[in-house]
Amino acid sequence: MSEVKDRIAAASGPEEPSGPPALGLVGWLRWTWRQLTSMKTALVLLFLLALGAVPGSLVPQTPIDPIKVSDFLEAHKTLGPLYDKLGLFDVYKSAWFSAIYLLLFISLIGCVVPRLSVYLKGLRARPPKPPRNLNRLPGYQRFELSEAGDVLEVATRELRKRRFRVEAYDGAVGAERGYLREAGNLLFHFSLILALVGVAWGSLFGYRGSVLVVVGNGFSNSVAQYDDFTPGRAFSGDDDLPPFSLTVKDFEVKFQEDGPQKGAAREFKAQLDYQETPDAPEKSYELQVNHPLKLDGSSVYLLGHGYAPRVTVRDGQGNVAFSGPAPFLPQDSNFASFGVIKAPDARPETLGFEGFFLPTAFIGENGPVSMFPDDLNPALVMTGYYGRPQPETGKPESVYQLDKSKLTQFEQKNGDKWRLQLAPGQSAQLPDKAGSITFDGYSRWVKLQISHTPGTGLALAGISLAILGLMGSLFVHPRRTWVRVREEDGRTVVEVAGLDRGPERGLGDEIQAITTALKPASSSTQEQP
Amino acid sequence: MSPETYAQVSNLLIPTATVIYALAMVSHAMEWALGRAAVAKTAAVKEEVLVASDGATVSGGVGDVPDAPTVEEPASERLDAASRIGLLLTWLGFVLHLGGVVTRGLAAERVPWGNMYEFSITASLAVSIVYLIFVQRYKLQYLGLGVTFVVAAVLGLAALALYTPAGPLVPALHSYWLVIHVSAAAISGGAFTVGGLVSVLYLVKARAERRVLAGGTMSASLRRLPSAEAMDGTAYKVLAFAFPLWTFGVLVAGPIWAEHAWGRYWGWDPKEVWSLVTWVVYAAYLHARATAGWRGRRAATIAIVGWFVFIFNFVGVNLLVSGLHSYAGV
Ligand code: HEM
């Protein structure tokens, strides 16, 4: 019986080696390798992986929400830098997290490759001889016969019928089945390697970027056109981007109009015209959440939407200083959207505006708010600033923020801050004949994400095979069975015994059934224990 | 029927099911109380336990002791009746519960797991399903108290604290991958719960068996439990059923859905992180069972940790940590 244990131990790779050897470098390396690929190390590394993944869900992560990270750094003056040093703001790319999974990966390879060769050798092995004391096995039956006859041949046939591999011994047969368990287990671990390679491939050679496009405008796929862009480590630049371009023709959104979830988005879709390459014919596509547009390995997703008021600003000299849509960013679930309008070319003084676009405006006690996300009563509510023209610095500047350090806010005659509230089509004069601002109307914008993740097919195939292997590994149950005939005090005794690996799954029933098949109707059976 | 009528029926069925489960729980609690009262000191019990653990050493964790409780004894009829009534009430509660979940889906005209309330009633239904599927096959009657407690508590909490009127889904949640992803997650969650409860009882029973070996006694309610060895096997079978399903739900269906909805397969969103942690902990459980020195008590502890991690992922992450997975109107 301990044979089975030995076989399992052998299949499980080297059992825990005892203390470090006093040998030289080679011995020491071999010892380290055996430690690394031992089952206990795998267990410890799995725990470390689980533990190590946790902080990333509790501490804000730079790749997910950089603003939260800077807020955190702002709020925790001592803890923040410490976290930063420990890589806690980017756990999944930190050195220590990578170390854990790389070690696990190495341990995995080091563990399963030797097991594969053990398994392949084991494939040709025959079911073992019966142990001396069959009656000590978990499943055991015996009965007596007047003469042995062909009972062993019947046993062989019966066991084969039950999909056992059978080997004849002197006065006995040995049988075994469930070889697929180890095969499944190996398939599982190897497929895991395959899946990990697929994932690594994707994170090395993939990219992801997002861009906000006002309806009516277009986008062509080059790094400079993205609002933000995250390349994989091995991504080499524009040459790796497929040369498609697209135009957002229209955008439609529906909101829940009543009930407790009033205002929740129910449906949104964008009409796109696109060209896969500059000379390809133009095609159209209806882009929806859950229905990305797939182009030559890259996929275009609809992530969000908002409003872009169209505004014309005239300066003090009567010239148009700004004209066009300015995307405003939604601040709440009713799409009260914040934004700025900059007119740095206005003369004699530059102009800037800051405030809200409200799709369904309502003047409440605490000022104007939006009551519903759809455009039922749109209004633009802003304040204005002026300042001296500044030389071009060439420094990149956020289009969503107004640098007010060199600007002065317009005031009314009575000293109150000047503010405007416009419905579409309306205009307002700025104080002191500084110019005017017209709310021409508004467009909608969509936020598109474009990403390419190679290797996902490999990862998916890996995981699917892994699940297949896992099922083999978990649901196939190796069983050994022996039938032996011997003389005992002049009587012929037939013994049937069996042994399972893993939890009990009807071993007794099968031994009973085999016994019944072997037994002539008249003889008596004893069961043990 | 109109959606409103369905919603009303659902709102009637769920609290009723809660009450029936609670009654089942009372019945099972009585079963335990009756058992506790009687303390056994028979040598026969001790001997049988010895055989069981001896059998285990002989086969070295390779063979196994049959599922049948090693400590069979003429239990009082009242005790058995309480157990049977408990199971019967659980079935009744389950039927009402199932009706409540189905009508909720009909009321909302979609799958009933768009928010925390719906996920609670669906996930607790999964616990009932897994328990009732396995109760005969793996002789899980002893789990009645634990299961009815968990289900009644979750349902009660859902009805009292999490209730949200039925409504359609936000667009990101529209996809049949969502159906696959969530059903796989819910059913494996149900199995994690059953496996966790069995593991808790395993620890209790294993301690009691050690006490008996040291010359102590065991209360009748513990004697009614299967042997620790058998419970260890049951926990393994249930978790072995759950693990591939969880792997599929979380590592295949989840990423595919995330790719459809958010444009990336995996984004280390808190919910994704905790799903992965759950997966890794259960992988560790399966490894632990195959590692000398980790079988039994340590493996059971890992199974319980895995269950807590799963619960935290479902409750804690939704309430404490913000991420893309936050549901409409929690
Ligand atoms: C990425 C890390 C790993 C994961 C997720 C993983 C997962 C699993 C799972 C789920 C099982 C259960 C299947 C079964 O019971 O047959 C298993 C079994 C097993 N694993 Fe791993 N494994 C990993 C790494 C390793 C490593 C590094 C070793 C080498 C020591 C190893 C050795 C084994 C062995 C020997 C079994 C068979 C256990 C048994 O016979 O029940 N695994 N593994």
Side-chain angles (χ1 to χ4, degrees), chain B residues 4 9 33 47 64 68 89 110 136 158 164 170 177 181 210 246 256 283 297 311 315:
Chain B
E4 288 75 25
V9 171
E47 203 177 276
D64 222 273
L89 285 172
R110 60 172 165 75
Q136 299 300 344
T164 323
V170 294
W177 281 105
H181 169 60
R210 279 196 306 280
W246 183 255
I256 291 180
R297 226 170 352 151
I311 301 274
V315 184

Side-chain angles (χ1 to χ4, degrees), chain A residues 65-118:
Chain A
D65 199 341
I67 298 169
K68 263 208 194 133
V69 174
S70 53
D71 288 353
F72 188 93
L73 283 168
E74 201 61 32
H76 302 85
K77 286 293 180 208
T78 44
L79 211 54
L82 185 68
Y83 276 20
D84 198 20
K85 271 220 188 69
L86 293 174
L88 288 185
F89 295 121
D90 197 355
V91 166
Y92 309 108
K93 288 205 189 82
S94 70
W96 55 269
F97 191 77
S98 314
I100 298 174
Y101 69 70
L102 283 178
L103 277 177
L104 194 55
F105 192 63
I106 296 170
S107 163
L108 182 58
I109 295 173
C111 177
V112 292
V113 170
R115 272 173 63 202
L116 181 65
S117 63
V118 171

Side-chain angles (χ1 to χ4, degrees), chain A residues 11-12 37-39 42 46 104 107-108 111 115 181 185 188-189 192 470 473-474 501, chain B residues 236 243 279 283 286-287 290:
Chain A
S12 317
T37 55
S38 82
M39 197 77 182
L46 280 172
L104 194 55
S107 163
L108 182 58
C111 177
R115 272 173 63 202
R181 180 197 176 96
N185 190 286
F188 170 77
H189 286 88
L192 221 51
L470 197 57
S473 165
L474 293 173
R501 176 181 178 189
Chain B
Y236 171 74
F243 188 77
W279 186 76
L286 292 172
H287 275 182

